[in-house]
Amino acid sequence: MFPTHRPRRLRANPQLRRMVRETIVTTSDLIYPLFAVPGEAIAQEVRSMPGVYQLSIDKIVEEAKEVYDLGIPAIILFGIPADKDTDATGAWHECGMVQKAATAVKEAVPDLIVIVDTCLCEYTSHGHCGYLQVGDLSGRVLNDPTLELLKKTAVSQAKAGADIIAPSGMMDGFVQAIRQGLDEAGFQDLPILSYAAKYASAYYGPFRDAADSAPQFGDRRTYQMDPGNAREALKEIELDIAEGADMLMVKPALAYMDIIWRVKEATNLPVAAYNVSGEYSMVKAAALNGWIDEEKVVMETMTSFKRAGADLILTYHAKDIARWLGA
């Protein structure tokens, strides 16, 4: 074989390496998360996520314009309400933060795709993703009553102008309930991006600072998946596909690239990977300390997500990536 076969021949210079590269990251792969808060002219940096901000609606619109100008096709909106209650009113009310942000962005940047996170934890006083049994401090959510809240939330978000509904609460039957609600309300053509394989991960810590969504007691392990399970992820995606999901998400991404691969092998639907807050913050902290080359590490990570099978990547690095790709 050697010296006839010399793989280094195709690594000889940058142009040749670029020509034969198997996996490429583009701005079209990216989705940028944004956090909407009440008020005006507010841009409050998240303590544990350098470069990420809680933004008032006017600032969300400015950010959306910048994102669009960078060539990023989509954002995903999360809302932090002024008041919370056990009915998650801020999630489904027509004046909810996500609803107002979605409407404002679509009016200002109509061609930008607005994805909305359809969950309840940011809006409940206890920080869990649905109704709880009275007096139960374990964090066990009542599944079927919560489906009605999710259905109301999705329809309200659709009416506000959302382009894609992204339910993230990991309730059994949530895709079917939301699909039914959307169809009944006349939104048959609105796609659902399901958080189909969402793990109970320690990587979410900084997000809970950003979204003010940490549970007040218990944890989310009765509805989010056990990190040790892979076959269960395939079961979850099969159920979501049967219930009408149009796209599937794996969350987190970095420690779950094997799951991304398995999901991609098991379906022809588009697969998204969420490069979550803890993954972002680790890179940022190391870069700020001068321990790593941020651009090289981020681009290598994004390439790895694509190589594992992700078609779309939700990432807080999105704007930086777009600038690096355009440089």
Side-chain angles (χ1 to χ4, degrees), residues 5-23:
H5 296 284
R6 293 179 180 266
R8 289 183 57 190
R9 290 170 182 152
L10 299 184
R11 303 173 198 155
N13 61 67
Q15 297 303 333
L16 187 53
R17 291 194 296 273
R18 185 163 65 92
M19 288 172 61
V20 299
R21 186 166 296 142
E22 300 171 26
T23 304

Side-chain angles (χ1 to χ4, degrees), residues 21-33 67 70-76 112-113 115 164 193 247-249 253 264 270-275 298-319 321-322 325:
R21 186 166 296 142
E22 300 171 26
T23 304
I24 300 172
V25 177
T26 74
T27 53
S28 298
D29 304 323
L30 306 175
I31 299 168
Y32 188 51
V67 166
L70 285 168
I72 298 167
I75 60 172
I76 183 167
L112 183 68
I113 296 295
I115 306 169
I164 298 173
L193 166 58
M247 296 180 280
L248 305 166
M249 190 190 301
K264 188 62 179 178
V271 175
Y274 201 139
N275 177 213
V298 170
M299 292 308 300
E300 182 177 342
T301 303
M302 298 302 127
T303 301
S304 299
F305 295 153
K306 288 289 299 291
R307 193 181 66 244
D311 301 293
L312 302 167
I313 303 169
L314 293 82
T315 178
Y316 304 97
H317 297 288
K319 290 198 302 178
I321 294 168
L325 290 173

Side-chain angles (χ1 to χ4, degrees), residues 109-177:
V109 198
D111 291 333
L112 183 68
I113 296 295
V114 174
I115 306 169
V116 289
D117 180 71
T118 305
C119 195
L120 309 173
C121 60
E122 298 104 310
Y123 309 95
T124 55
S125 51
H126 45 68
H128 284 285
C129 300
Y131 284 124
L132 299 182
Q133 183 73 43
V134 176
D136 185 354
L137 298 182
S138 70
R140 183 180 295 276
V141 172
L142 297 174
N143 193 93
D144 295 4
T146 296
L147 297 181
E148 294 303 313
L149 279 182
L150 290 172
K151 186 188 299 186
K152 279 204 307 184
T153 299
V155 171
S156 175
Q157 293 170 336
K159 290 178 178 178
D163 295 299
I164 298 173
I165 301 296
S168 60
M170 290 298 288
M171 295 296 110
D172 294 340
F174 70 161
V175 172
Q176 179 176 301

